Amino acid sequence: MTGQTNVVVIGGGYAGVMAANRLMLRDDVTVTLINPRPDLVHRVRLHQLVGGSDDAVVAYRNVLAERVRLVVDTVTRIDAAERSVSLAAGGTLDYDYLIYAVGSGSAEPSVPGAVESVHPLATLEEARRLRAVLDATPATAPVTVVGAGPTGIETAAELADQGRRVTLVCGGVLGPYLHMRGRRSVAKRLAALGVTVVDGSGAKVTGVTRDAVRLADGRELRSEVTVWAAGFGVPDLAARSGLSTDVVGRLVTDETLTSVDDVRIVAAGDSAAPSGLPLRMSCLNATPLGARAADTVLSRLAGEQPEDLHQSMYAQCISLGRRAGIYQFANRSDVAVWLHIGDGLGARIKELVCTRIPEHLAKEASKPGSFGLHRMRGGVAKRRQALRDHRAEAPAADRAA
């Protein structure tokens, strides 16, 4: 390929910004980043926006390389055959390579009454609306948070830390990712904050009204504000564009993050499903996946074979109010182990993680290629074994496809 190469990056989250900045390693690459907002959403701080201690946004001028062109718009369709994307505001943009980094958002709840009565918070707009609702609600009013993953736990702790009456409905176990020891640590901290944790098989939500949450075991919890943090979904852009996706809607790629349909399309972040076996949706995975996606494009431009996917570290970091947190370690299969760091040190680590994310992006903007993709010993072998296991468990029709 001669002359200038045009790369379009769809999505300006952690993965998209990292990819766009890293592509600046080559002077003959022009990058256009398309994002529906004029600022980076610092998603790991959305619970703080809800609690009023942070605005959860970072100006792109502070984290995006100067040579990257920012287009504030939404992509409505990808035309792989024409190598172009259509924009909501009208018009199209052509590309030589496309990086698909649209991220994730709230999964639409299927529980009766939930669509009309709950407040999700997976996006900036949702978190801002929830904040406005809480500002207009007396501090003594009962608040119910549905979903006991990181978002639900952090939101429940943040609001309880302010003195609100919070009930956390788990729908199963508290913190499914956590090791038993880590779970006990989180439960202890939530209890100290006054959060009522409702877990077990009967804690599945079966219905929601504007003033109550009904559970599978027949209980009805009074709730003036019901926060929905029960899972994430991904935009349907890839599916609408005729590209191969998994059952959730993530773009299916090979192990180099290249679309199985088109060598000119590469995916990163929460919306990528490499080999149909996606990594856990998290900022921990999004940033290195963005770097890996850029490296795949750069390798192809250099006439080289891109490297296969590997991740070097797994963990989960959860804040528990402003004064405590937990850093849960995991093994190379991303399964939590007994080791965790909690309490005040856990809070400091969590804050360090939140601070370091935009710092990593900013450093990559000023010095492309500086973000290290560290290879943990045995990590590639572990991934390959996971793929073999996954394929062995897949239905015969899927394997044939």
Side-chain angles (χ1 to χ4, degrees):
M1 184 178 294
T2 60
Q4 206 72 11
T5 299
N6 296 316
V7 180
V8 168
V9 180
I10 307 177
Y14 303 137
V17 172
M18 174 57 72
N21 289 342
R22 201 172 184 88
L23 288 168
M24 294 296 96
L25 276 165
R26 291 184 63 124
D27 292 334
D28 60 349
V29 171
T30 300
V31 178
T32 301
L33 178 71
I34 306 172
N35 193 64
R37 305 173 191 87
D39 297 298
L40 169 73
V41 178
H42 200 2
R43 193 167 177 180
V44 294
R45 292 198 188 275
L46 283 179
H47 63 287
Q48 290 181 251
L49 188 161
V50 172
S53 63
D54 199 278
D55 61 7
V57 295
V58 177
Y60 276 126
R61 65 176 178 274
N62 295 329
V63 294
L64 195 60
E66 290 185 5
R67 287 203 294 123
V68 175
R69 176 192 175 202
L70 174 65
V71 173
V72 181
D73 207 334
T74 299
V75 175
T76 58
R77 187 174 182 275
I78 300 166
D79 189 330
E82 295 295 326
R83 292 183 194 161
S84 69
V85 297
S86 300
L87 302 178
T92 61
L93 287 176
D94 297 331
Y95 65 82
D96 295 307
Y97 283 93
L98 177 74
I99 293 184
Y100 186 82
V102 298
S104 61
S106 297
E108 185 168 317
S110 58
V111 173
V115 172
E116 301 83 9
S117 305
V118 304
H119 302 277
L121 72 159
T123 68
L124 180 66
E125 293 76 15
E126 289 170 346
R128 284 174 171 170
R129 286 194 291 268
L130 175 56
R131 179 64 200 166
V133 169
L134 289 166
D135 284 343
T137 303
T140 56
V143 176
T144 301
V145 179
V146 179
T151 302
I153 292 171
E154 289 187 325
T155 304
E158 200 77 19
L159 297 178
D161 209 8
Q162 297 180 342
R164 287 190 175 271
R165 296 168 52 199
V166 181
T167 298
L168 178 62
V169 178
C170 300
V173 300
L174 173 67
Y177 179 89
L178 299 172
H179 186 272
M180 178 176 59
R181 292 188 180 185
R183 187 172 297 120
R184 284 200 298 261
S185 178
V186 170
K188 182 179 178 181
R189 177 58 185 169
L190 291 175
L193 289 170
V195 177
T196 300
V197 175
V198 181
D199 58 3
S201 59
K204 182 179 176 62
V205 176
T206 58
V208 182
T209 65
R210 296 197 179 277
D211 59 5
V213 174
R214 288 190 290 272
L215 304 182
D217 60 9
R219 280 178 290 177
E220 186 167 290
L221 309 176
R222 183 168 169 262
S223 179
E224 290 196 31
V225 179
T226 301
V227 181
W228 197 264
F232 294 100
V234 299
D236 64 351
L237 175 61
R240 283 190 285 109
S241 301
L243 298 170
S244 296
T245 61
D246 66 4
V247 294
V248 176
R250 290 169 289 216
L251 182 69
V252 177
T253 75
D254 63 14
E255 287 294 284
T256 71
L257 299 179
T258 303
S259 166
V260 296
D261 302 308
D262 193 320
V263 73
R264 297 301 185 102
I265 299 176
V266 182
D270 290 354
S271 54
S275 303
L277 188 62
L279 303 178
R280 175 167 48 91
M281 293 183 181
S282 66
C283 66
L284 180 73
N285 286 324
T287 304
L289 283 173
R292 176 60 63 201
D295 285 354
T296 290
V297 173
L298 293 169
S299 293
R300 291 217 162 88
L301 292 177
E304 301 170 352
Q305 174 60 34
E307 283 192 49
D308 283 351
L309 177 68
H310 61 80
Q311 297 295 97
S312 63
M313 184 178 180
Y314 295 104
Q316 189 174 85
C317 197
I318 303 174
S319 66
L320 299 168
R322 295 296 85 215
R323 298 180 296 278
I326 182 172
Y327 189 88
Q328 171 69 71
F329 290 91
N331 61 24
R332 287 177 299 203
S333 297
D334 199 21
V335 176
V337 298
W338 65 270
L339 182 61
H340 69 272
I341 300 172
D343 300 324
L345 181 56
R348 290 192 290 275
I349 294 175
K350 169 68 176 187
E351 181 57 30
L352 180 63
V353 169
C354 292
T355 302
R356 285 286 177 85
I357 294 170
E359 289 179 353
H360 285 315
L361 298 178
K363 185 177 181 182
E364 190 72 18
S366 62
K367 188 179 178 182
S370 61
F371 183 78
L373 286 168
H374 304 295
R375 184 190 296 266
M376 179 180 284
R377 185 178 179 183
V380 173
K382 202 74 175 180
R383 172 73 182 174
R384 288 173 180 167
Q385 182 59 53
L387 287 172
R388 286 193 291 270
D389 294 343
H390 174 69
R391 287 163 182 159
E393 294 170 359
D398 290 347
R399 292 199 299 272

